[in-house]
Amino acid sequence: MDENTLQTPVKRLYSLDFLKFLLAVIIVFHHFQQVTETRFSHFNFFSGRIYFGWCVEFFFIISGFVTALGLKNKKTVNFKNWIIGKAVRIYPMAMISVLITFCACCLYRILFGIARVPFGLWRLFTSFTLTFVGGGLNVGLGFNNVLWYVCVLLICYVWVYVIQWICDRLKINPYYGFVVMCLLGVGALSYKIELPFFNNASSRGYMAFFFGMILFYIYNHFSRKILLSISTVLIVSVMFCIFFDKWIDNQQMIFTFMLFPSILIFSLSIEKVFKSKIFSFLGGVSYEMYIWHSAFILLYICAKKQLGFELIYTRTEMLIFTLCLIGIACLAYQFVEKPLIAKLKEVIKA
């Protein structure tokens, strides 16, 4: 591969789109309970036996897997086109979501006298540019803090290109580089390293994203039946341990390297079940759900406060909120994101 080589469009895996949608729903439940400080009598998505915040690792794994899928059949693309192609998909709606979340934070501060996120121009600027965490800056919380995942994802995309470029010149398999990045992520987390581009946020991304790329290699070089058998055993074993609260000594690592990859492989084994464009649509909607849910949780709390309702929340209320959010995400995806990205692509090509 020369310096201009990378990426190609390939067939879409609808099972992974559906997984992303389910993960987005779980993350919404998780943050709804966290922000509203709601605890149910049974099975909580926050402050329960399972920490559902690790679902972000699953997002990284899927992103890495899909990125590796895109690299399988290479097409000539220089670095500028590679990173612009990623940024055009990510930045427009993310920046709009930061603006709306900032307004929601202002309203919350007015009504409750408490700042959900410390206010400041630098924090606002780094939130807009998706640089507030993971890289050379360490601002901490962003105004739409869930976008930390997107900040790190962009860094991972840069590393992919760099590793491909270096490995091509050394004439070695780039997957050696991906393994190194995954191990560096694990090491940085284990030793609690906090350095530019190697800190808690970026290391979570490196560990899971590059393991997703490695998982793609494994999936294409080993027997599918054997992988499915191993995955089934791991899913049953992990769920058994969770149910009986035994031997789960490190949820983050167990989920990242055992449970999530096994669920992904199991999902791919039933890909035929998802042969419908509706799942592709849900995959696109999942991004909108993810980037918008923080703002709408705050707006919902503010609305209840203004209307004089008691700030108590039920499972039914959380479910209705999520269904409404899905509706909003569908509209945003179909009538804002898709036309906006199409227009930006036209401008870039011109």
Side-chain angles (χ1 to χ4, degrees):
M1 184 189 77
D2 64 27
E3 65 180 356
N4 292 320
T5 304
L6 211 58
Q7 194 189 18
T8 188
V10 291
K11 70 172 185 176
R12 196 172 187 99
L13 294 172
Y14 297 116
S15 57
L16 299 190
D17 284 323
F18 185 62
L19 271 181
K20 288 192 294 183
F21 177 75
L22 287 181
L23 288 170
V25 170
I26 291 172
I27 288 292
V28 173
F29 288 166
H30 173 72
H31 285 144
F32 185 92
Q33 282 197 251
Q34 181 183 26
V35 175
T36 61
E37 299 180 351
T38 300
R39 304 295 180 269
F40 303 128
S41 56
H42 302 288
F43 194 81
N44 289 280
F45 285 89
F46 182 78
S47 194
R49 182 176 295 180
I50 299 173
Y51 179 68
F52 285 95
W54 301 136
C55 284
V56 177
E57 268 73 354
F58 205 166
F59 273 124
F60 277 120
I61 290 173
I62 294 174
S63 296
F65 191 94
V66 172
T67 299
L69 177 64
L71 295 174
K72 185 179 180 182
N73 299 314
K74 298 172 183 176
K75 180 182 177 181
T76 301
V77 175
N78 59 31
F79 178 74
K80 177 183 175 182
N81 291 336
W82 161 256
I83 201 64
I84 286 178
K86 301 298 184 183
V88 165
R89 170 68 179 89
I90 289 173
Y91 264 101
M93 297 305 293
M95 293 176 72
I96 296 172
S97 76
V98 169
L99 178 60
I100 300 301
T101 308
F102 173 72
C103 294
C105 287
C106 290
L107 181 60
Y108 189 94
R109 184 174 182 175
I110 292 170
L111 293 179
F112 293 91
I114 301 171
R116 296 290 308 183
V117 178
F119 279 61
L121 287 177
W122 184 242
R123 190 180 306 276
L124 183 60
F125 174 76
T126 55
S127 295
F128 271 119
T129 55
L130 300 180
T131 57
F132 63 88
V133 74
L137 303 179
N138 185 22
V139 179
L141 293 174
F143 276 103
N144 188 3
N145 196 54
V146 298
L147 291 179
W148 78 265
Y149 158 74
V150 182
C151 295
V152 175
L153 185 61
L154 286 167
I155 297 171
C156 288
Y157 287 144
V158 173
W159 277 116
V160 168
Y161 193 96
V162 170
I163 291 169
Q164 287 273 36
W165 188 89
I166 292 173
C167 289
D168 176 66
R169 272 140 187 78
L170 297 177
K171 299 188 182 305
I172 61 175
N173 191 325
Y175 278 87
Y176 290 117
F178 302 152
V179 170
V180 169
M181 287 301 299
C182 178
L183 293 176
L184 286 174
V186 174
L189 284 174
S190 299
Y191 288 95
K192 296 179 172 56
I193 294 173
E194 291 293 331
L195 294 172
F197 296 97
F198 282 95
N199 44 63
N200 181 72
S202 60
S203 297
R204 285 178 66 181
Y206 298 160
M207 175 182 70
F209 179 91
F210 287 101
F211 184 69
M213 299 194 75
I214 296 165
L215 186 63
F216 177 81
Y217 182 88
I218 294 171
Y219 185 73
N220 280 278
H221 288 82
F222 292 86
S223 167
R224 303 289 173 82
K225 290 183 179 179
I226 292 176
L227 289 175
L228 181 59
S229 299
I230 294 173
S231 298
T232 303
V233 170
L234 286 175
I235 291 171
V236 172
S237 299
V238 173
M239 296 309 297
F240 176 87
C241 292
I242 290 174
F243 183 79
F244 289 101
D245 200 18
K246 301 281 187 181
W247 304 305
I248 302 295
D249 51 344
N250 190 324
Q251 262 193 31
Q252 184 181 21
M253 297 300 174
I254 290 172
F255 285 12
T256 301
F257 293 108
M258 297 173 69
L259 182 61
F260 295 157
S262 299
I263 294 174
L264 187 149
I265 289 173
F266 182 82
S267 299
L268 290 174
S269 71
I270 55 172
E271 174 71 19
K272 293 181 179 179
V273 175
F274 301 96
K275 285 296 182 182
S276 171
K277 289 186 177 180
I278 184 62
F279 296 111
S280 174
F281 183 81
L282 291 177
V285 166
S286 66
Y287 179 64
E288 295 298 328
M289 290 175 62
Y290 184 82
I291 67 175
W292 287 108
H293 75 274
S294 289
F296 281 97
I297 289 173
L298 291 180
L299 291 173
Y300 181 65
I301 295 172
C302 290
K304 288 195 72 171
K305 171 76 171 178
Q306 277 297 92
L307 294 173
F309 289 104
E310 193 173 1
L311 298 182
I312 297 176
Y313 305 87
T314 65
R315 278 199 183 91
T316 301
E317 197 170 348
M318 183 173 73
L319 178 59
I320 293 172
F321 171 85
T322 304
L323 290 173
C324 292
L325 180 66
I326 292 171
I328 293 169
C330 288
L331 293 174
Y333 176 64
Q334 184 65 32
F335 299 108
V336 181
E337 180 185 332
K338 289 174 71 174
L340 180 58
I341 291 176
K343 185 65 176 176
L344 286 173
K345 287 181 177 180
E346 288 180 9
V347 172
I348 291 171
K349 287 181 180 179

